[in-house]
Amino acid sequence: MARSATPAFPPARLISSTQELEAALAPFHNESFVTVDTEFMREQTYWPELCLVQIGAVHDVVLIDALAEGIDLTPLKNLFADTAVLKVFHAARQDLEIFLHLFDALPTPLFDTQVAAMVAGFGDQVGYDSLVGSLTGHMIDKSHRFTDWSVRPLSPAQLTYAAGDVTWLRLVYERLVKKLEQEKRLDWVAAEMAELEDPATFRPDPEKQWERLRARTNNRRMLAVLRAIAALREREAQRVNVPRQRLVKDESLLEIAATTPATTEALTRVRGVSRGLAEGRTGQALLQAIKQAQALPDSELPRSPRSKSKDTPRPSASLVALLKVLLTSCCEKHDVAPRLVASADDLDALALDPSQPHAVLAGWRRKVFGETAQALCEGKIALCVKSGRVVAIPQNTDVSSV
């Protein structure tokens, strides 16, 4: 796409007091949609430290200094709760996690242009700068992408960069919506927003954190200890607001689960566990969690995800491979990102039993892929190549007639 002339965007205003914020956001309640972005830091903390919030409207852009002394973000919370105003983000997950932690509620309703772009054929998880370039021909300035947004004062260049994230987003949103309306796919995007509007999406269960550690053991007692101490680490990391790995590294958790130290002195001998941590509140809580896990009855011990998978029937690898080919073929035909249509787990489940209810057999996914995939699993169609592309045909069909 040829580079288009830069639109006349409204000047951005830096807001650093509650009174300014309340006055600035009042007119935003009259907008049909606003664009939203954030700048934050999280290298040193468990919870992202919100530094700046950018909000764009038709005739105004405000940059809210979330670190300004005494500022109350309630007017922003009220705007996010206004169901008459659509909140537009790009790659919203981290932003939404921040706002859920701050306000105990998610912005509603919302629209994620990254998800919409996947529906509109721009590929898997397309970046904001790439999407702006594709839809407007404008190249985004990336110079402040890795700046320290917690340092004050913010420079004019930083503020200009931050404002650009919500000004160009308005054009991206409008052009995506126009494209999706023409292709009658807006309802596809609406179906995908349900996950982002569910607070559970952004609240990891501490009791399931042990599964991501991928312990190479089937010892259920050890896994019970790992489950207990991984859950404890998650809650402690949240409480003291430090990254979980900075509190106790994954490798140290695995060693603790394997050696089950019963005393403070034994805990200090675990690599990566300092004496200060072992003697403090976290260390004593770890010892208590180990003791409680060791006392669990056998019926309450977890099983390794790997052992579960061994006990679970496995689908035919060749059928799954065919489904992957079919998925790519169908997504090429409909110009939609494969990742949005079906996951590897979806394909495995479908291959095991195509007669059961599956996500790919409902809604728009059924039309794009599910119905054809079910027919392939049931032997009703075959795959062949015609004019350099994979196509599905009814069994015993002459390829030349397709």
Side-chain angles (χ1 to χ4, degrees):
M1 176 181 289
R3 183 183 176 93
S4 58
T6 301
F9 291 131
R13 295 185 290 152
L14 181 62
I15 303 298
S16 55
S17 73
T18 305
Q19 185 176 3
E20 288 178 317
L21 180 60
E22 189 168 9
L25 292 187
F28 282 51
H29 288 269
N30 299 320
E31 299 282 335
S32 59
F33 76 94
V34 295
T35 50
V36 187
D37 191 33
T38 66
E39 306 298 345
F40 58 89
M41 305 292 291
R42 74 176 312 168
E43 288 80 3
Q44 308 297 324
T45 59
Y46 180 94
W47 304 108
E49 180 186 19
L50 182 61
C51 301
L52 195 71
V53 183
Q54 304 98 286
I55 309 286
V58 174
H59 302 297
D60 201 4
V61 175
V62 297
L63 310 177
I64 306 167
D65 184 356
L67 298 182
E69 185 176 356
I71 193 167
D72 181 352
L73 297 180
T74 298
L76 179 62
K77 178 181 179 180
N78 295 338
L79 177 62
F80 285 166
D82 188 341
T83 57
V85 182
L86 180 69
K87 275 62 75 170
V88 178
F89 296 80
H90 181 83
R93 286 179 177 269
Q94 291 195 81
D95 300 323
L96 296 177
E97 179 190 359
I98 291 170
F99 293 131
L100 180 62
H101 178 60
L102 279 177
F103 302 141
D104 198 32
L106 290 169
T108 184
L110 60 89
F111 187 98
D112 189 330
T113 57
Q114 186 178 70
V115 174
M118 292 169 73
V119 173
F122 287 90
D124 286 344
Q125 294 188 306
V126 61
Y128 177 63
D129 50 345
S130 297
L131 191 57
V132 170
S134 296
L135 288 171
T136 74
H138 179 80
M139 300 303 294
I140 293 291
D141 173 19
K142 304 178 185 178
S143 58
H144 293 283
R145 177 168 293 179
F146 299 108
T147 193
D148 186 344
W149 291 96
S150 66
V151 175
R152 294 295 182 271
L154 295 170
S155 70
Q158 285 177 300
L159 297 176
T160 299
Y161 170 90
D165 283 345
V166 291
T167 49
W168 287 102
L169 187 55
R170 291 189 66 85
L171 290 180
V172 166
Y173 168 73
E174 289 169 346
R175 293 179 186 184
L176 270 178
V177 167
K178 182 177 180 180
K179 179 175 170 58
L180 292 167
E181 284 177 336
Q182 290 172 344
E183 297 171 354
K184 296 182 171 52
R185 294 187 179 185
L186 266 180
D187 58 330
W188 296 15
V189 178
E192 297 311 301
M193 289 302 104
E195 182 181 0
L196 293 179
E197 292 171 342
D198 182 0
T201 301
F202 308 96
R203 288 175 170 155
D205 184 353
E207 298 298 330
K208 293 183 178 179
Q209 288 299 305
W210 69 278
E211 296 178 356
R212 55 176 288 276
L213 298 177
R214 301 180 182 276
R216 297 179 177 274
T217 180
N218 291 323
N219 183 321
R220 295 177 64 196
R221 186 65 59 181
M222 175 180 167
L223 293 176
V225 173
L226 183 62
R227 178 177 65 184
I229 61 177
L232 174 73
R233 179 185 67 169
E234 194 72 11
R235 295 189 179 96
E236 281 293 287
Q238 292 176 356
R239 182 184 67 82
V240 299
N241 196 24
V242 299
R244 62 175 73 90
Q245 289 277 25
R246 179 166 295 186
L247 188 67
V248 183
K249 292 187 179 298
D250 288 350
E251 295 80 2
S252 300
L253 279 187
L254 290 166
E255 185 176 343
I256 291 170
T259 59
T260 58
T263 65
T264 300
E265 192 61 34
L267 186 58
T268 63
R269 290 196 288 270
V270 173
R271 185 175 180 178
V273 176
S274 68
R275 179 167 292 276
L277 184 140
E279 293 177 347
R281 170 173 170 168
T282 300
Q284 298 309 299
L286 282 170
L287 293 175
Q288 184 63 25
I290 294 167
K291 183 177 179 180
Q292 290 174 348
Q294 289 180 312
L296 287 174
D298 289 349
S299 61
E300 295 181 20
L301 301 179
R303 294 185 181 276
S304 166
R306 294 188 302 130
S307 66
K308 290 179 187 176
S309 64
K310 289 178 182 178
D311 296 337
T312 303
R314 300 295 301 165
S316 163
S318 56
L319 176 54
V320 172
L322 283 178
L323 285 170
K324 289 178 181 178
V325 172
L326 179 63
L327 175 63
T328 302
S329 173
C330 290
C331 291
E332 284 178 350
K333 177 182 177 182
H334 292 276
D335 198 19
V336 62
R339 179 181 183 141
L340 197 63
V341 177
S343 66
D345 288 343
D346 290 331
L347 298 184
D348 285 350
L350 190 63
L352 274 172
D353 189 350
S355 67
Q356 293 297 312
H358 299 292
V360 296
L361 298 177
W364 63 269
R365 289 180 175 82
R366 180 177 184 86
K367 174 184 176 183
V368 170
F369 171 68
E371 198 170 65
T372 309
Q374 189 176 44
L376 178 66
C377 292
E378 294 173 349
K380 296 177 181 177
I381 63 170
L383 300 183
C384 70
V385 177
K386 183 178 181 183
S387 301
R389 300 178 71 89
V390 173
V391 296
I393 61 172
Q395 281 282 36
N396 303 318
T397 299
D398 182 357
V399 177
S400 63
S401 67
V402 179

